[in-house]
Amino acid sequence: MKTEGEVRALITARVKSQFIDRSAGLIDDAGAPFAVIPLGRPTQRDLVGRRAEVYSWQEGLERFAERWGLETVTSRVRTPSGMNTVLSHLTVPSWAAALRLAEGFSENRFRRAVAWAERLRREFPHAAQSGQWGLLGRVESQSDEENDVLFRAAAWCRETPDGPGRTTREVPVEGVSGKWRTAARHRELIAWLTGADTGRLRSARPARVGVTYADPAHLSAGGRRWDTWFEGDCPALPYEPRAVVICENSDTALSFPPVP
């Protein structure tokens, strides 16, 4: 026999599994009950051996149902003393009733998610038609301020011919900070909103390495002291080094003395 906590957990799990689809308008069952929760009907043995406990459980769940606007379903169980009416199911009459009961959800949260889904359809029909509504869950989990920046950044990427291939630090939209450069979720959402071919941003600038030349003959002949190479470069060395020293500390590398 289920407890109030177990009933609420079941409703919460079902709300969670349907929340995004309902926010996107993919489920429309107006007028139909949201769920019928089986409670585990007491048996004849329960009623004979634990009658007081069974009816205490039943009265508690009936109060629970009345408090949250649920409907009760009963059945009949025969015992040696006669027929007994026992609670067997609780019916959640609507999505709104489920939202009130589910932990972590509310009608206000649902209305907000619906509003973002509607804005997405208006401004980014490509994303709405892609069928990837699961990503709406990431939008819904962010603040309105974060989402406003996200939508404006995606609009810039869509409308700027050379936007793809840039890093997030190059997006001239207020609110796009340097932290976006390492936040994969922002880049993925922008790609979803605009289409991967038109909106993908690079995750970071190419890796860079500083080079210090330490050969005295090279330096005395007026050769370069320092160079900067980027990932993908194929530089021609001014001379063939006999040894290469890798320094993790850039200050040490820059001040490395000439070595014959």
Side-chain angles (χ1 to χ4, degrees), residues 58-78:
Q58 179 164 309
E59 290 168 3
L61 280 179
E62 287 172 342
R63 290 192 297 269
F64 172 79
E66 183 178 4
R67 184 165 68 250
W68 292 103
L70 308 183
E71 299 168 359
T72 58
V73 179
T74 60
S75 62
R76 304 276 283 173
V77 176
R78 182 183 297 278

Side-chain angles (χ1 to χ4, degrees), residues 44-163:
Q44 182 186 89
R45 178 177 294 180
D46 293 328
L47 287 168
V48 171
R50 301 186 297 136
R51 188 178 188 85
E53 181 182 340
V54 167
Y55 278 100
S56 176
W57 164 82
Q58 179 164 309
E59 290 168 3
L61 280 179
E62 287 172 342
R63 290 192 297 269
F64 172 79
E66 183 178 4
R67 184 165 68 250
W68 292 103
L70 308 183
E71 299 168 359
T72 58
V73 179
T74 60
S75 62
R76 304 276 283 173
V77 176
R78 182 183 297 278
T79 65
S81 60
M83 298 299 295
N84 297 263
T85 300
V86 296
L87 193 59
S88 62
H89 297 76
L90 290 179
T91 299
V92 185
S94 65
W95 172 246
L99 285 173
R100 289 192 295 271
L101 186 55
E103 295 181 359
F105 295 89
S106 67
E107 292 183 80
N108 285 339
R109 179 179 172 182
F110 179 64
R111 283 193 291 268
R112 178 179 175 273
V114 169
W116 279 112
E118 291 174 348
R119 179 174 172 181
L120 190 150
R121 279 195 172 92
R122 288 194 309 271
E123 299 182 17
F124 300 98
H126 168 89
Q129 294 166 8
S130 71
Q132 295 178 285
W133 281 106
L135 290 173
L136 177 63
R138 298 192 191 180
V139 173
E140 190 272 330
S141 69
Q142 298 184 153
S143 69
D144 288 345
E145 292 76 14
E146 286 180 295
N147 286 334
D148 186 61
V149 172
L150 171 69
F151 276 50
R152 287 188 287 111
W156 180 87
C157 289
R158 180 185 58 196
E159 296 160 9
T160 305
D162 63 343

